[in-house]
Amino acid sequence: MHKADFNDIDKSMILQVARKMKSNSCPLAAIVGYVDKEGKPVVAYSYDVNGDVKTYKCTGEKKVPSLTNIYGTAAEWFEEEISELMDVEFEGLVNKGRLFLPEEFDGSGQIIVSPLSELTGKK
Amino acid sequence: MGYTIPIGPYHSSLEEPVYAKLYTEGELIKDAEVHIGYNHRGVEKLTTQKNFIQTIALVERVCGICSHSHAFAYCLGIESITGMEVPKRGQYIRVITAELERLHSHFLWLGLAAHLIGFESVFMYAFNAREKVMDALEALSGNRVNYGMNIIGGARRDIDSGQKEKLLSMLDELHDANKTLKNIFVNDKTVAMRTKGVGIISREDAMKLGIVGPHMRASGIEYDVRANDPYSSYEDFDFKVIVHPDGDVFSRVVVRVLENDESIKIIKQALEKLPEGKINLGVKMPRVPEGEFVSRIEAPRGQLVYHIVTDGGPTNYRVSIHVPTFRNAASIPHMLKGSYVADAGLIVACIDPCFSCLDR
């Protein structure tokens, strides 16, 4: 099994790394977003490099370039998911409407929303 | 004249909620959209409220079909962050459970494919074979769905000699059942007429779409996490990565039916070579340090990725789950474009979708 391989990169390197990975035929394993302890957004790009997983993390950027011009649809849903759930915009990602639930869906009648505090018993 | 046909989110042809819009012109689908999120349960957020042991039970419930795969990928991630080395016997037991899960998932899909083609007797035959696997899983774990076979540091339950013998004889029966199914799916003219040339994804398009698992291998790409990035001792077993070049529904059927033989082969090898010794590192868990790991395994539907972040505390800081359907569902509009409305159900089903997995 692969070993952990994480690298920090800045925004300007995202496309350069993606192009290099694509030219070496390394598939995109995942793009994941989260907020770190300091409240900064993190976008982590994981690539499959000859069976190993290499991850590049970009921290503190609310606008990052989209990989859809390089990886096509393989990057699209990952980026749509992050942009819909986090305060991160992907420059160059063509907006095809919401991925999670269609635009016209107002949530009435069909969805039960339970606050997390209720589920965990915390008031 | 063009019509927009909405399917879902709740529709008699769907077992799980999803919303698809088909833009048609006569019988042909000109464009399609897929919207997800109707079965979102907030599992990723909940993992940040649970400790590492509670999380195993939680992630097992992401999916009813590949429950072991979720717990397996999660445990591998935490073990990597903690630096734990799972005993060989425990690794083998995890592999046996994972391959049994792959078998029941593939038999389920083959049955559903037969049902959609209109071949009800084959549906019954495939489900009969699946029942044998479900019985075996129940005998091993005590459960038909959420097996609870993983703990951090190994397997929860051992396999004794009686269970081993029963499993081996069940696998012989299953091999015969799969032989019959293989003969039907590969040689039957009706199956071929209904599936050949339907929902095509070329090798180049498969790369662009980023599809995974049997869906990808049916487009001629030889990639399987078990072979390319072996985990849990998969390198000890001899098996073939099944590939078919045509990229249509027929190829996806062939890949899955042939993968059943490979899974049977892996389980037999694991049972015959099952090492002596401990199955886990005990129930006392070490403190999980601050760390990060991208864990991935080959689930029945394809590559399952867990990105786990820990902060040295008692709960997960972040667990991101990307299931195979997240990758494969994005290819549905591509396959639907230019297809007949009558084929839409079969095309959506051919990725073996799990929308509960997808929505988390």
Side-chain angles (χ1 to χ4, degrees):
Chain A
M1 193 177 176
H2 64 271
K3 301 277 177 225
D5 187 355
F6 288 88
N7 306 274
D8 289 314
I9 54 168
D10 58 43
K11 184 180 164 180
S12 62
M13 297 287 287
I14 293 172
L15 288 180
Q16 200 181 322
V17 169
R19 281 195 200 100
K20 190 182 156 200
M21 290 293 165
K22 182 72 180 171
S23 67
N24 291 338
S25 303
C26 301
L28 186 64
I31 308 177
V32 168
Y34 62 91
V35 179
D36 70 7
K37 288 261 174 190
E38 292 164 20
K40 291 179 189 163
V42 179
V43 181
Y45 302 84
S46 294
Y47 298 92
D48 181 319
V49 184
N50 304 323
D52 285 332
V53 178
K54 212 172 168 79
T55 304
Y56 293 89
K57 294 198 304 181
C58 176
T59 305
E61 297 291 345
K62 289 195 172 184
K63 277 188 182 180
V64 289
S66 168
L67 299 194
T68 47
N69 283 334
I70 300 165
Y71 274 96
T73 315
E76 203 174 285
W77 276 31
F78 285 121
E79 292 182 354
E80 282 187 35
E81 180 186 58
I82 296 168
S83 64
E84 284 176 31
L85 299 176
M86 285 175 65
D87 188 17
V88 173
E89 189 189 322
F90 287 86
E91 294 166 313
L93 174 66
V94 180
N95 187 2
K96 293 181 180 171
R98 280 204 320 235
L99 172 65
F100 290 99
L101 309 176
E103 302 287 351
E104 63 270 24
F105 182 72
D106 66 358
S108 59
Q110 292 187 59
I111 195 159
I112 301 165
V113 177
S114 307
L116 185 64
S117 57
E118 203 176 277
L119 292 172
T120 55
K122 288 177 191 160
K123 299 288 169 202
Chain B
M1 182 163 177
Y3 288 99
T4 303
I5 304 175
I7 300 178
Y10 305 101
H11 189 274
S12 55
S13 72
L14 299 170
E15 278 141 29
E16 296 169 290
V18 68
Y19 182 44
K21 275 186 202 167
L22 309 182
Y23 300 98
T24 66
E25 215 169 274
E27 285 286 301
L28 283 176
I29 301 166
K30 288 287 172 195
D31 204 357
E33 281 174 25
V34 177
H35 294 281
I36 61 173
Y38 292 90
N39 212 5
H40 179 63
R41 289 149 291 158
V43 172
E44 289 186 358
K45 181 67 183 166
L46 277 172
T47 60
T48 63
Q49 311 286 315
K50 305 283 175 196
N51 69 36
F52 303 104
I53 295 167
Q54 289 171 325
T55 307
I56 302 172
L58 176 65
V59 296
E60 256 197 339
R61 279 143 185 88
V62 171
C63 179
I65 305 291
C66 51
S67 57
H68 174 75
S69 301
H70 283 273
F72 195 178
Y74 176 74
C75 287
L76 284 175
I78 295 296
E79 285 153 7
S80 293
I81 291 171
T82 319
M84 294 166 103
E85 183 71 40
V86 173
K88 206 73 170 161
R89 190 176 176 90
Q91 292 186 17
Y92 274 45
I93 292 170
R94 282 178 170 183
V95 166
I96 291 166
T97 316
E99 292 308 317
L100 284 170
E101 186 171 80
R102 192 180 319 281
L103 280 169
H104 95 68
S105 176
H106 280 9
F107 278 121
L108 173 105
W109 184 82
L110 289 166
L112 291 179
H115 170 67
L116 287 163
I117 293 165
F119 214 152
E120 295 301 327
S121 51
V122 179
F123 164 78
M124 299 301 279
Y125 198 82
F127 267 62
N128 182 43
R130 180 176 180 257
E131 269 312 299
K132 294 183 205 298
V133 188
M134 300 298 281
D135 288 345
L137 280 163
E138 191 178 3
L140 284 186
S141 70
N143 287 310
R144 281 169 61 89
V145 180
N146 296 308
Y147 319 112
M149 284 295 273
N150 287 289
I151 63 169
I152 292 165
R156 184 190 298 278
R157 292 183 179 85
D158 206 349
I159 296 177
D160 63 30
S161 55
Q163 286 172 321
K164 184 178 159 182
E165 289 313 311
K166 275 186 189 163
L167 255 180
L168 284 168
S169 88
M170 184 281 289
L171 290 171
D172 288 336
E173 285 174 37
L174 213 58
H175 183 263
D176 294 341
N178 198 49
K179 199 173 167 186
T180 309
L181 281 173
K182 202 161 52 183
N183 187 33
I184 295 166
F185 280 116
V186 175
N187 300 322
D188 188 88
K189 208 175 164 184
T190 318
V191 172
M193 284 169 72
R194 193 72 182 79
T195 57
K196 277 194 174 171
V198 175
I200 294 177
I201 298 181
S202 67
R203 188 187 154 86
E204 291 68 35
D205 287 338
M207 306 275 261
K208 272 186 223 153
L209 291 162
I211 57 176
V212 293
H215 191 41
M216 169 187 67
R217 293 191 282 277
S219 289
I221 300 172
E222 192 177 339
Y223 189 91
D224 188 317
V225 183
R226 293 173 296 171
N228 292 62
D229 182 13
Y231 51 93
S232 200
S233 295
Y234 265 107
E235 67 276 11
D236 293 356
F237 310 118
D238 173 36
F239 65 98
K240 273 193 283 188
V241 176
I242 305 294
V243 176
H244 205 269
D246 297 343
D248 54 7
V249 175
F250 180 75
S251 296
R252 289 162 206 143
V253 173
V254 171
V255 166
R256 287 190 178 95
V257 82
L258 294 179
E259 281 191 357
N260 281 347
D261 281 342
E262 297 307 310
S263 290
I264 293 170
K265 218 161 89 181
I266 293 171
I267 302 169
K268 279 188 174 175
Q269 290 175 66
L271 286 169
E272 277 152 16
K273 295 197 279 187
L274 194 62
E276 292 298 321
K278 290 198 293 184
I279 58 166
N280 57 46
L281 299 173
V283 288
K284 197 170 182 320
M285 218 186 112
R287 194 177 72 84
V288 178
E290 184 178 347
E292 196 163 357
F293 194 75
V294 179
S295 165
R296 60 174 183 163
I297 65 162
E298 187 73 25
R301 296 175 174 94
Q303 180 176 261
L304 168 66
V305 180
Y306 268 63
H307 187 129
I308 304 165
V309 185
T310 56
D311 61 358
T315 59
N316 306 280
Y317 184 74
R318 172 83 167 105
V319 176
S320 166
I321 307 167
H322 281 107
V323 302
T325 304
F326 189 84
R327 313 297 300 274
N328 293 339
S331 70
I332 293 174
H334 175 89
M335 290 189 286
L336 286 173
K337 271 180 212 169
S339 298
Y340 288 107
V341 175
D343 287 333
L346 185 61
I347 288 173
V348 173
C350 80
I351 67 163
D352 189 8
C354 179
F355 294 109
S356 297
C357 256
L358 173 62
D359 287 339
R360 292 153 276 161

